[in-house]
C-alpha cells in the first residue's frame, strides 16, 4: 500500500468511525504466510514452501488440466448476495496462465469466481470483485496452476478474500456432557467419569448395559468450576460393574458414548503405540507386509532424487568440512527432521519400557511386533530401538575432526516443507547442524543404556555402544556449555536448551548403572539434581531429563550408596502426582503452576504417569496404579473436549494430526495417522495460524483442535508416542493381571 493511500485511509477511519468499523471481513487465514504454510494445501505434484515470505510451488509441466495442480485453502464462508474481493500478488518463473477460483470445495465444485490470470516474472497484484450466489461454510479458494507445457515456479503472497461478516467464533463439538474413557475401564480399578452441568447440587446417574438395563445408580459429587476448562463439573464414581461391552453412563439428561469394562484395549495400545516407530523409520521402505497397504511407502532419504540426503550430508555453511552418512533413525514427528535430543528421550523410553519387563518381555518380545527384524533372537522392542540408536551413533563427530566424540545437534531440511509430502519426495537440502553438549549427553545416556540391554543379545553392538557412550561423556565434559541456538529453527525445530545439568545427571546415571564405575557414580552423587525435588507439576520432557536418570537409579539394580533414598524420592514424586490427580475435575496428574498447558501437554501428562507407575512398581500401592489409569482416562476421552487424543481409540478420536504423510485431511489418497498415535494436545500458547484463528482466549485444557494445520496443538512425535508406549505397556500389564484375577474369581 502506498504512503498516500495509507494516509487517506487513516483519515477516513479517523473522521468516520462507522466506515472503519464496517471494513469488510477477511475470510482467508494466513494469507501473508507469516505463520508458515498452514492452513494452505496443495496437490502432491507441486511441493510448496515459504520462500522469502511468499508461498512458492514447483509446478510440473505437461499436465492436462488446470486443476491437475492446485494450491488452495478450504473452509471459507460465503454469504448469498454478498460482495467479495478476491485479491493476491503472484508471479511465475516464466510467463504462464493460471486460474484463480472461489468455489465449492466438494463436487460439483460450482465456482462463484473463476478468473484466468496471466502471470509474469514480476510479482503483480490483482483484485477480482464478485457477488456470491450461494451461502456455504464449505467454499475454497484455489489457484489452478496445471495445464502449462513446461515446469515453472509459482509464487503467491498477500492473498485476501474480503467481504461478508467475520467468520463465526469456533465452538468445539464436545458431544455429550458425560465424559468417560471412551475405550473403557479395567475391571478392578477405579472408575470415574466427569459430568459438565450447571447444577451445583448432586445429580442422579445411571449406568446401563448395552441392552439398556440399568446396572448401577447413584449421585454425582459436585466439583465446582474447573479452571482448566472453565466448566462447572461433577465427578461420578460408578463402582465395580461386571466385565462387558457397550456400557453407557447417563446423568443430567445426557448419555456418554459407549465404553467397555475389561477388554484388550490396553494390550492393543501397547502394540499400536510401538508400531508408530516402525512407520516413522527413515532410510527404509515401509513394507505393506508389516504396515498394511495404505501405510506402505518407499524409503525416505536414502540418496535417491528428489531427496538430497541422508547418506552423505554436509554441515550448514561454515560448521564443518566433512559429510556424514546419517541415514536411518526415526523422523521426529510430522516433519522429516531428525534431532538427537528428542531422539534420545524417545529411544530411552522404549529401552526403559523393555528394561522394566526384561525378564518376561511378552508382547514386546521377539517376533511379537510387526517389524522386519521379527524372530531374530532379539526382543522386538530392542530391534526397534536399535534403528534409532544406530542413527544416534552416526551423529557423532568422527575421530580426527574438531569436536570428535561430540554429537551434531540435528539434521534436517534447510527450509520448511509443506504438507502433504511423503518423505521420499522431500526435495530440500539436508544439513548437519553444530554439535551441542545436550545432544552429546543424549548419545552418552542412550548408548550406555544400549550397552546394558543389548549385552545378552549382541555383545559386539553392546560394546560399540559403550565405547560411544564413554567417548560422548568425555567429549561433553571437555565441552560442557555448547548450546543449540534458539534461532536455528528454519526447516526444522530448534530443540534449544541452555541448561544441561540434567543431561549430565542422566548420562552419568546411565553410565554408572551400566559400568558401576566410580567416575560416573561420583558424577551422579555430586550432581545438584541428585537430591533436588525434580518431580515438578510440569513434568519431564526432552528439555528436562533428570527424571529419566532418577527413575533408572531407583529401579535398575546397583550399588549406589543412597539408593533407598532415591527410591523414596520417586515415591514422594508419585505422591505429589497422586494428590494432583485427585484434585482435578478430570482426574489428570497434570497441573502446571502457571495454569498454562505446554506444547505437547499430553506427553507431560504421560510422563507424570510414568512416575506414578514407577511408584506403583516400587510399592504396589493401588492408588498409584489407579492414578495412572485415571490419566489414561483423560487421554482417551474423559476430558473437557470429550475427545480421545489417540487415533483409533474411542468413539470420538483425534485423527487429523499434523503429519506430512498421514495427511488424509489434505489428500484423500493418503492415510490418517496410524492407530495408537497420540496428539500433542492442548497448548495454551497456540502458536500456529489454525489454532490462533479458532482458539483465541481458550481455557488451557481446551486449546486444541483436531486439524492437520494446527502444528502447535495437534502434531504427533516420537517423544510423545514413546511416553504413550511406556504407559500403555504398564496399563496392558495391569489389564492382564486383572483378567487373570477375574478368571480366578469366576
Ligand atoms: O515438542 C517441542 C516443544 O517442546 C517445543 O516447545 C516446540 C518449539 O520449539 O517444538 C516442539 O517440537 C517440534 C520440533 O521443533 C519439530 N518437530 C515437531 C516437534 C513437535 O511439534
Amino acid at each position: 500500500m502506498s504512503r498516500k493511500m495509507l494516509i487517506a485511509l487513516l483519515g477516513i477511519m479517523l473522521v468516520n468511525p462507522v466506515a472503519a468499523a464496517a471494513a469488510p471481513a477477511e475470510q482467508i487465514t494466513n494469507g501473508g504466510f507469516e505463520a508458515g504454510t498452514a492452513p494452505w494445501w496443495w496437490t502432491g505434484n507441486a511441493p510448496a514452501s515459504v520462500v522469502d515470505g511468499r508461498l512458492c510451488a514447483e509446478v510440473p509441466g505437461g499436465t492436462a488440466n488446470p486443476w491437475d495442480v492446485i494450491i488452495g485453502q478450504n473452509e471459507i464462508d460465503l454469504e448469498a448476495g454478498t460482495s467479495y474481493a478476491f485479491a493476491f500478488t503472484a508471479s511465475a518463473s516464466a510467463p504462464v496462465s493460471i486460474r484463480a477460483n472461489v468455489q465449492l470445495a466438494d463436487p460439483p465444485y460450482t465456482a462463484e469466481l473463476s478468473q484466468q490470470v496471466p502471470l509474469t516474472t514480476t510479482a503483480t497484484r490483482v483484485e477480482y470483485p464478485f457477488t456470491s450466489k450461494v451461502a456455504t461454510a464449505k467454499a475454497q479458494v484455489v489457484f489452478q496452476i496445471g495445464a502449462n507445457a513446461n515446469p515453472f515456479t509459482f509464487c503467491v503472497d498477500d492473498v485476501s478474500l474480503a467481504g461478508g461478516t467475520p467468520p463465526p467464533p469456533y465452538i468445539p463439538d464436545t458431544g455429550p456432557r458425560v465424559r468417560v474413557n471412551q475405550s473403557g475401564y479395567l475391571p478392578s480399578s477405579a472408575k470415574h467419569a466427569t459430568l459438565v452441568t450447571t447444577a451445583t447440587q448432586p445429580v442422579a446417574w445411571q449406568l446401563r448395559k448395552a441392552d439398556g438395563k440399568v446396572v448401577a445408580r447413584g449421585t454425582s459429587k459436585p466439583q465446582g468450576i474447573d479452571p482448566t476448562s472453565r466448566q462447572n463439573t461433577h465427578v461420578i464414581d460408578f463402582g465395580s460393574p461386571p466385565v462387558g461391552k457397550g456400557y453407557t453412563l447417563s446423568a443430567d439428561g445426557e448419555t456418554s458414548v459407549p465404553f467397555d469394562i475389561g477388554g484388550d484395549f490396553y494390550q492393543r495400545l501397547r502394540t499400536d503405540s510401538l508400531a508408530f516407530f516402525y512407520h516413522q523409520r527413515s532410510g527404509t521402505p515401509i513394507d505393506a507386509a508389516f504396515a498394511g497397504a495404505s501405510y506402505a511407502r518407499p524409503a525416505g532419504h536414502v540418496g535417491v532424487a528428489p531427496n538430497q540426503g541422508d547418506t552423505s550430508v554436509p554441515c550448514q555453511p561454515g560448521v564443518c568440512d566433512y559429510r556424514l552418512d546419517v541415514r536411518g533413525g526415526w523422523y521426529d514427528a510430522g516433519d522429516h527432521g531428525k534431532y538427537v535430543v528428542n531422539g534420545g528421550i524417545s529411544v530411552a523410553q522404549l529401552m526403559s519400557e523393555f528394561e522394566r519387563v526384561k525378564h518376561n518381555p511378552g508382547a514386546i518380545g521377539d517376533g511379537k511386533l510387526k517389524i522386519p527384524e521379527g524372530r531374530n533372537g532379539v526382543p522386538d522392542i530392542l530391534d526397534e530401538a536399535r534403528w534409532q540408536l544406530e542413527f544416534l551413533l552416526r551423529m557423532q563427530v568422527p575421530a580426527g575432526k574438531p569436536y570428535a566424540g561430540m554429537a551434531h545437534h540435528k539434521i534436517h531440511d534447510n527450509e520448511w516443507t509443506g504438507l502433504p509430502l511423503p518423505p521420499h519426495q522431500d526435495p530440500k537440502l539436508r544439513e548437519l547442524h553444530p554439535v551441542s553438549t545436550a545432544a552429546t549427553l543424549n548419545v552418552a545416556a542412550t548408548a550406555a543404556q544400549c550397552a546394558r540391554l543389548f549385552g545378552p543379545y549382541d555383545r559386539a553392538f553392546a560394546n560399540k555402544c559403550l565405547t560411544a557412550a564413554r567417548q560422548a561423556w568425555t567429549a561433553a565434559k571437555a565441552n560442557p556449555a555448547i548450546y543449540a541456538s534458539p534461532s536455528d529453527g528454519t526447516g526444522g525445530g530448534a530443540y534449544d536448551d541452555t541448561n544441561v545439568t540434567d543431561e549430565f545427571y542422566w548420562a552419568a546415571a546411565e553410565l554408572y548403572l551400566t559400568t558401576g564405575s566410580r567416575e560416573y557414580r561420583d558424577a551422579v552423587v555430586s550432581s545438584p539434581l541428585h537430591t533436588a525435588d525434580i518431580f515438578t507439576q510440569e513434568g519431564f520432557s526432552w528439555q528436562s531429563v533428570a527424571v529419566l536418570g532418577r527413575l533408572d537409579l531407583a529401579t535398575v539394580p546397583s550399588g549406589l550408596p543412597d539408593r533407598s533414598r532415591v527410591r523414596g524420592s520417586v515415591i514422594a514424586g508419585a505422591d505429589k502426582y497422586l494428590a494432583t490427580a485427585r484434585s482435578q475435575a478430570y482426574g489428570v496428574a497434570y497441573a502446571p503452576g502457571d495454569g498454562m498447558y505446554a506444547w505437547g501437554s499430553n506427553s507431560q501428562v504421560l510422563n507424570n504417569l510414568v512416575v506414578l507407575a514407577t511408584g506403583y512398581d516400587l510399592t504396589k500401592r493401588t492408588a498409584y496404579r489407579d492414578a495412572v489409569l485415571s490419566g489414561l482416562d483423560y487421554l482417551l476421552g474423559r476430558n473437557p473436549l470429550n475427545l480421545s487424543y489417540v487415533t483409533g481409540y474411542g468413539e470420538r478420536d483425534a485423527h487429523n494430526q499434523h503429519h506430512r504423510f498421514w495427511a488424509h485431511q489434505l489428500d484423500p489418497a493418503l492415510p490418517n495417522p496410524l492407530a495408537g498415535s497420540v496428539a500433542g494436545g492442548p497448548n495454551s500458547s497456540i502458536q500456529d495460524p489454525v489454532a490462533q484463528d479458532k482458539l483465541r482466549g481458550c481455557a488451557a485444557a481446551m486449546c486444541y483442535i483436531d486439524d492437520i494445520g494446527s502444528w502447535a496443538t495437534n502434531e504427533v512425535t516420537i517423544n510423545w508416542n514413546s511416553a504413550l508406549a511406556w504407559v500403555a505397556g504398564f496399563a496392558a500389564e495391569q489389564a492382564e493381571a486383572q483378567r487373570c484375577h477375574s478368571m480366578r474369581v469366576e
Side-chain angles (χ1 to χ4, degrees), residues 263-274:
D264 64 355
F265 46 90
Y266 286 137
Q267 288 92 318
R268 279 192 287 118
L269 186 58
R270 172 173 54 194
T271 305
D272 287 348
S273 56
L274 285 173

Side-chain angles (χ1 to χ4, degrees), residues 663-707:
H664 183 78
Q665 190 186 349
L666 298 176
D667 180 349
L670 294 172
N672 278 115
L674 190 71
S677 303
V678 64
N683 170 2
S684 298
S685 303
I686 53 169
Q687 291 90 338
D688 66 76
V690 174
Q692 286 172 5
D693 186 36
K694 299 278 194 332
L695 303 176
R696 272 189 206 285
C698 49
M702 299 180 84
C703 294
Y704 170 82
I705 183 164
D706 185 23
D707 188 299

Side-chain angles (χ1 to χ4, degrees), residues 61 137 186 225 236 347 507 723:
L186 297 189
I225 302 285
I236 296 173
V347 75

Side-chain angles (χ1 to χ4, degrees), residues 403-424:
Y403 297 117
M406 296 286 282
H408 287 276
H409 195 67
K410 53 181 187 162
I411 175 233
H412 59 70
D413 295 337
N414 65 343
E415 285 172 329
W416 281 108
T417 57
L419 282 70
L421 184 70
H424 68 285

Side-chain angles (χ1 to χ4, degrees), residues 40 141 148 241 254 270 277 302 343 364 369 409 462-463 633 744:
W40 292 92
V141 296
N148 284 291
E254 297 263 321
R270 172 173 54 194
F277 295 89
V302 283
I364 57 175
L369 301 178
H409 195 67
N463 288 342
D633 294 344
R744 273 204 302 277

Side-chain angles (χ1 to χ4, degrees), residues 332-335 339 416 492-496 542 599 711 715 717 719-720:
D332 187 56
D335 64 321
Y339 312 90
W416 281 108
Y495 281 117
D496 52 307
W542 62 267
W599 188 322
W711 38 263
E715 193 155 356
T717 72
N719 62 315
W720 303 339

